[in-house]
Amino acid sequence: MTDVTEPLSSPLSSPLSENTADVIVVGAGPAGSTTAYHLAKSGLGVLLLEKTEFPREKVCGDGLTPRAVKQLVAMGIDISEEAGWLRNKGLRIIGGGVRLQLDWPDLASFPDYGLVRKRDDFDEQLARQAQKAGARLYERCNVGAPIIDDRTGRITGVHAKLGEEKREVTFHAPLVVAADGNSTRLSLAMGLHRREDRPMGVAVRTYFTSPRHEDDYLESWLELWDRRGPGEDRLLPGYGWIFGMGDGTSNVGLGVLNTSDSFKELDWREVLKAWCASMPEDWGYTPDNMTGPIRGAALPMAFNRQPHYTKGLLLVGDAGGLVNPFNGEGIAYAMESGQIAADVIVQAHARSTPAGRELALQRYPRVLKDTYGGYYTLGRAFVKLIGNPKVMKIAAQRGLTHPLLMKFTLKLLANLTDPTGGDAMDRIINGLSKVAPKA
């Protein structure tokens, strides 16, 4: 095993054994696969450990904004329609009796289109791309306890059970990346617990056979109505989405924040059923057309687990609470944090002393806070407001009648601005993000 007090080994100069690497990445979702891809492209030896076997199911809206598209392009993924991707032009917002279509903004920094792809296929594409770059992928590898150096307290590897026979193995590396999602057992084992003062969301979704499957806009509903009872219709906290998948089905789901008074009292699967029952019958969102069960997942937001680097462990994606609190988007930020972490690790690898490497690694949390901290602080204030259904109703009724205001809101919620040389809206959003505390 490589000693953490010595320079990281280089795969170009000293071959790594089957169970050792320069970096171990735990979890082959978007965050882990992106991290592994960029590390391997830079010449480092990478072990990518995934507890399941591809293809596998993940709860997601399956809609990708231009931020995520940019990351796919950076990884060399074929995102053509011929390769099975469905493009979208922007976001359709429905609420307050108004229906507004907004195209993705024209920016120098991001593409002007989004994509749709099912997660059971999407994640595998990223993992295979990491493999092509040189990462060694182990599927059905269930990672357990970290290996801790008694002298330094640093993580130096992980224990795992491999394959159907659950063979016990150990993997060793001087650096480990936790990309194991919201549950992130690895982070918990290293003493990193969730911050209760940060918002947490829940998403539930299912698929329906539907004639709306080729919709070229992502659709977001700002009002969820429960019309099941004989009395007055009930406005529910949260928002809904309808994304055409281009394969004969629609992904229909809803998101809710734990700032809502109804967060714990409602069965959100039943809420989704009630919302779907209120839609036009010819859309096909009926139980008979449901192609799979309703599934749910947590959305860890706004840096809800910190620090993002400690004692040889870096957190990326959901493990570090990177989900955007404004819109619940996680894939783009999982991939971006993976690229940032990889860049920091590559730079640390080039340092000649342990102190120099540690100094470089300590930069990772600072880069994350410089990049997202102020914006996420604004998002935390935003979720407190929209957790109140009355506020959400007023915002929908008043805001949707002003297209220019909604164009600004789209840029803000989707975090789509040019950092330099942008328009007045970009400068306002960037300015607010800079002055907000980077907590």
Side-chain angles (χ1 to χ4, degrees):
M1 184 180 71
T2 306
D3 192 292
V4 296
T5 62
E6 297 299 326
L8 305 183
S9 62
S10 167
L12 301 180
S13 58
S14 54
L16 299 167
S17 71
E18 181 181 352
N19 290 9
T20 65
D22 294 312
V23 186
I24 293 170
V25 179
V26 180
S33 291
T34 303
T35 307
Y37 169 83
H38 289 291
L39 288 171
K41 286 286 284 186
S42 297
L44 297 191
V46 185
L47 285 167
L48 180 58
L49 311 180
E50 167 59 35
K51 69 178 180 180
T52 61
E53 185 176 19
F54 291 111
R56 52 106 165 97
E57 182 79 81
K58 275 288 185 74
V59 176
C60 186
D62 300 328
L64 304 170
T65 70
R67 288 194 79 96
V69 176
K70 180 178 181 177
Q71 289 298 313
L72 292 170
V73 172
M75 286 182 65
I77 301 286
D78 179 1
I79 55 172
S80 66
E81 293 184 12
E82 293 75 17
W85 299 83
L86 181 67
R87 293 195 178 192
N88 58 73
K89 300 176 181 178
L91 184 66
R92 182 185 304 116
I93 303 174
I94 297 173
V98 178
R99 171 189 173 103
L100 185 65
Q101 269 186 188
L102 297 168
D103 289 345
W104 298 120
D106 290 320
L107 298 169
S109 303
F110 298 98
D112 62 353
Y113 59 91
L115 295 168
V116 172
R117 185 123 188 177
K118 281 190 175 180
R119 281 293 299 274
D120 61 359
D121 177 52
F122 175 84
D123 285 17
E124 182 172 13
Q125 292 227 0
L126 270 59
R128 301 303 178 208
Q129 196 74 352
Q131 270 189 302
K132 291 177 185 177
R136 288 174 286 155
L137 173 64
Y138 285 84
E139 297 175 60
R140 303 187 71 175
C141 182
N142 195 349
V143 172
I147 300 171
I148 306 295
D149 184 287
D150 291 335
R151 180 172 56 86
T152 64
R154 293 174 65 91
I155 186 170
T156 61
V158 295
H159 297 284
K161 294 181 179 179
L162 188 61
E164 186 176 354
E165 67 279 10
K166 297 183 179 180
R167 177 169 57 90
E168 292 189 0
V169 296
T170 57
F171 296 99
H172 301 280
L175 290 175
V176 178
V177 176
D180 48 349
N182 173 59
S183 60
T184 186
R185 290 185 299 169
L186 193 60
S187 302
L188 291 173
M190 290 287 288
L192 303 180
H193 298 280
R194 183 170 74 87
R195 290 184 57 161
E196 298 294 335
D197 63 339
R198 298 299 160 97
M200 176 71 77
V202 168
V204 293
R205 67 97 177 99
T206 189
Y207 295 95
F208 295 95
T209 301
S210 171
R212 299 196 61 198
H213 71 101
E214 290 187 317
D215 195 347
D216 55 3
Y217 281 81
L218 303 179
E219 189 166 284
S220 178
W221 292 58
L222 302 187
E223 294 174 325
L224 298 175
W225 291 99
D226 184 354
R227 296 187 167 98
R228 288 176 295 175
E232 185 178 350
D233 294 343
R234 181 185 183 191
L235 179 62
L236 300 170
Y239 68 95
W241 70 75
I242 300 173
F243 299 162
M245 301 303 300
D247 62 355
T249 67
S250 294
N251 179 316
V252 183
L254 59 85
V256 63
L257 295 156
N258 66 355
T259 52
S260 160
D261 293 335
S262 302
F263 182 76
K264 293 182 179 179
E265 70 182 57
L266 289 175
D267 181 337
W268 291 103
R269 288 171 173 79
E270 292 301 316
V271 172
L272 177 58
K273 292 178 184 177
W275 180 50
C276 291
S278 72
M279 296 179 189
E281 189 174 347
D282 60 358
W283 289 3
Y285 303 144
T286 63
D288 290 343
N289 290 332
M290 193 181 295
T291 63
I294 296 175
R295 299 182 185 275
L299 303 175
M301 298 175 170
F303 294 159
N304 80 334
R305 186 172 279 105
Q306 298 183 36
H308 290 102
Y309 170 74
T310 182
K311 298 178 181 179
L313 182 73
L314 297 90
L315 312 186
V316 294
D318 286 7
L322 266 291
V323 174
N324 181 347
F326 278 106
N327 65 359
E329 180 181 12
I331 289 178
Y333 301 92
M335 297 180 73
E336 289 178 5
S337 63
Q339 186 178 34
I340 292 169
D343 178 67
V344 168
I345 291 169
V346 168
Q347 293 300 323
H349 180 270
R351 302 293 175 93
S352 57
T353 66
R357 288 191 295 278
E358 189 64 18
L359 182 63
L361 293 166
Q362 290 288 350
R363 176 173 165 263
Y364 176 59
R366 294 197 296 271
V367 174
L368 288 184
K369 289 192 175 183
D370 286 346
T371 305
Y372 306 116
Y375 177 77
Y376 282 180
T377 296
L378 297 176
R380 283 158 45 211
F382 174 78
V383 299
K384 288 181 181 179
L385 288 174
I386 66 169
N388 185 329
K390 293 180 181 178
V391 173
M392 193 71 163
K393 183 177 181 180
I394 293 172
Q397 290 175 339
R398 305 283 175 83
L400 285 172
T401 58
H402 296 81
L404 191 63
L405 175 60
M406 291 309 298
K407 182 180 179 182
F408 174 85
T409 303
L410 176 65
K411 283 193 167 192
L412 175 64
L413 268 58
N415 197 12
L416 291 172
T417 63
D418 275 325
T420 57
D423 61 16
M425 294 182 185
D426 294 357
R427 292 192 291 273
I428 292 171
I429 294 170
N430 295 340
L432 290 171
S433 298
K434 285 181 181 178
V435 300
K438 295 175 173 56

